Amino acid sequence: MKLTIKEMSAASLCAALTAVLSQISISVPLSPVPFTLQTFAVFLSAAVFGRKIGFLSQVVYIILGITGLPVFAGFESGPATIIGPKGGYLISFPIIPLVTAFIMDRFAKKTVGSIFLSLLAGLIPCYVLGTLWLGIILKLSVLKAIIMGTGLFVVFDIIKALAVSYISVKLQLLLSAGRFS
């Protein structure tokens, strides 16, 4: 995969944004998975830069964390985080931009509504992989895994997707006008 300097810069920026927003983290009493703004950053990378940059930025983010940089929520790092209860969510991050872009490409125009629906579709693999992994690691029943891994987060993720939809439309206008080139 050949990348331009602009693409490498955008992917690096998105990986860094994910690392920073991961630290805005609130522990949840019923779950080992905290509320964070990670998905906000993943959504933004997908909605603004698309499949290639979104995917690459999240792969870079995960590699940084696995190799020991404290970029995961709560300044965690290392392979233990990936194989722990949060691992399924983290592994899903590169998939979110792929699904989001695939759905977005089906719409004739990028509007707040089309981006929002695309981001919600991109959230599905996050919930499936994350909840499945959480249930397996903690040996939970299906219902308990869904409650702990999805039920507590849905409303906040919908709000994040809506916010990113509005922000990304504005950013796309600025980018297309050449104000950030």
Side-chain angles (χ1 to χ4, degrees), residues 23 26 28 35 58-59 62 71 82 86-88 103-104 106 112 124-125 134 152 163 180:
Q23 305 320 317
I26 301 169
V28 178
F35 288 118
Q58 298 313 307
V59 169
I62 291 169
V71 295
I82 296 293
K86 304 169 197 168
I103 300 299
M104 231 185 307
R106 302 299 172 263
V112 171
I124 293 170
L134 179 72
L152 300 172
F180 288 115

Side-chain angles (χ1 to χ4, degrees), residues 21-22 26 38 46 52 67 71 121 149 156 166 170:
L21 293 183
S22 295
I26 301 169
Q38 284 170 308
K52 184 175 172 183
T67 58
V71 295
F156 296 103
Y166 281 104
K170 298 296 183 189

Side-chain angles (χ1 to χ4, degrees), residues 31 33 35 89 123-124 126-132 134 142-157:
S31 178
V33 181
F35 288 118
Y89 299 100
L123 195 55
I124 293 170
C126 181
Y127 281 147
V128 170
L129 288 172
T131 301
L132 182 64
L134 179 72
V142 172
L143 180 60
K144 199 166 191 175
I146 290 170
I147 291 168
M148 288 175 67
T150 304
L152 300 172
F153 302 94
V154 171
V155 172
F156 296 103
D157 285 335

Side-chain angles (χ1 to χ4, degrees), residues 5-6 16 18 24-26 31 36 39 41 44 47-48 55 59 64 82 92-94 99 109 111 151 155 160 168 170:
I5 297 291
K6 198 181 267 190
T18 305
I24 299 173
S25 173
I26 301 169
S31 178
T36 70
T39 49
L44 199 60
V48 175
F55 173 80
V59 169
L64 290 172
I82 296 293
S92 76
F93 287 178
V99 173
K109 190 175 178 189
T111 64
V155 172
K160 288 185 263 186
S168 66
K170 298 296 183 189

Side-chain angles (χ1 to χ4, degrees), residues 73-95:
F75 295 100
E76 290 183 12
S77 65
T81 305
I82 296 293
I83 59 174
K86 304 169 197 168
Y89 299 100
L90 293 168
I91 294 300
S92 76
F93 287 178
I95 300 168

